[in-house]
């Protein structure tokens, strides 16, 4: 089994996840937002180790929240890209630093969809939580973390990279 599975735009597998995401977005409680400062780039190798740490911490949290054999839907909220399924229990950490970082040109990233804004918007959606990477054209990029289980599983204050961003709690 591979960590990432590409789907067609109209694949019904993601319909339940889209309903969860819409519900979480309507409630707008138990939400943490990080506004990404202008000029931040995940392609800057100076932050590569911090990005790898963030990815590992999020992966550890997802492995606690998603039962083995189950997967997360990964959707583009703007519908520019077809959805994917992510199997967090498939090991893929035993790859090069460049693949884990994921933002080195000409290197296939271990994370097919990044956890940070890089020009695209993506949402990782579980049964009652979401990790959203929002990159709107008209406003600053944001990380939005929704759902009490995900928020309580992540120790956000200890993740070095997040200290670079402006924190907002709803």
């Amino acid at each position: 089994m591979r960590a990432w599975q590409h789907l067609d735009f109209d694949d019904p597998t993601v319909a339940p996840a889209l309903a969860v995401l819409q519900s979480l977005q309507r409630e707008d409680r138990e939400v943490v937002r990080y506004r990404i400062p202008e000029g931040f780039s995940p392609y800057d190798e100076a932050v590569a180790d911090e990005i790898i740490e963030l990815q590992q911490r999020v992966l550890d949290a997802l492995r606690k929240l998603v039962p083995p054999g189950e997967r997360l839907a990964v959707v583009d909220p703007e519908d520019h890209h077809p959805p994917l399924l992510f199997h967090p229990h498939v090991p893929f950490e035993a790859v090069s630093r460049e693949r884990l970082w994921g933002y080195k040109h000409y290197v296939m990233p271990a994370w097919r969809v990044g956890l940070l804004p890089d020009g695209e918007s993506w949402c990782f959606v579980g049964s009652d939580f979401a990790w959203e990477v929002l990159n709107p054209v008209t406003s600053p990029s944001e990380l939005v973390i929704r759902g009490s289980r995900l928020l309580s599983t992540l120790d956000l204050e200890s993740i070095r990279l997040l200290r670079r961003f402006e924190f907002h709690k709803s």
Side-chain angles (χ1 to χ4, degrees):
M1 180 183 331
R2 295 167 31 161
W4 300 93
Q5 179 182 347
H6 293 266
L7 302 173
D8 292 328
F9 273 105
D10 59 351
D11 194 305
T13 308
V14 297
L18 293 173
V20 167
L21 182 60
Q22 290 171 349
S23 174
L24 288 168
Q25 290 172 336
R26 275 194 307 273
E27 291 175 13
D28 206 34
R29 61 187 170 107
E30 297 175 339
V31 177
V32 170
R33 297 175 182 274
Y34 288 92
R35 182 160 294 141
I36 310 300
E38 191 173 319
F40 173 82
S41 172
Y43 294 94
D44 180 355
E45 195 160 359
V47 295
D49 289 333
E50 293 176 41
I51 291 172
I52 292 169
E53 175 200 31
L54 169 77
Q55 291 170 335
Q56 187 59 53
R57 299 284 287 285
V58 172
L59 182 61
D60 291 345
L62 296 177
R63 286 177 172 163
K64 288 178 184 173
L65 298 174
V66 178
E70 291 191 22
R71 56 213 173 184
L72 296 171
V74 183
V75 297
D76 174 354
E78 299 164 349
D79 254 355
H80 295 159
H81 303 284
L84 299 99
L85 295 178
F86 176 56
H87 303 265
H89 293 279
V90 172
F92 63 91
E93 296 91 347
V95 297
S96 70
R97 177 181 181 272
E98 287 78 18
R99 287 197 63 211
L100 281 177
W101 170 32
Y103 295 97
K104 187 168 181 85
H105 293 291
Y106 308 111
V107 174
M108 179 60 77
W111 287 82
R112 298 283 192 256
V113 173
L115 294 174
L116 295 168
D118 67 348
E120 305 291 344
S121 296
W122 289 99
C123 301
F124 289 72
V125 185
S127 60
D128 60 354
F129 63 85
W131 177 281
E132 299 174 54
V133 178
L134 304 177
N135 199 51
V137 175
T138 59
S139 58
S141 297
E142 287 186 307
L143 291 179
V144 181
I145 306 162
R146 298 179 190 274
S148 61
R149 286 193 325 130
L150 181 56
L151 288 168
S152 66
T153 303
L154 285 168
D155 181 7
L156 297 174
E157 293 177 9
S158 70
I159 299 174
R160 292 179 297 156
L161 183 66
L162 295 181
R163 294 183 202 139
R164 295 177 178 268
F165 306 149
E166 186 181 333
F167 173 78
H168 296 273
K169 185 167 179 145
S170 297

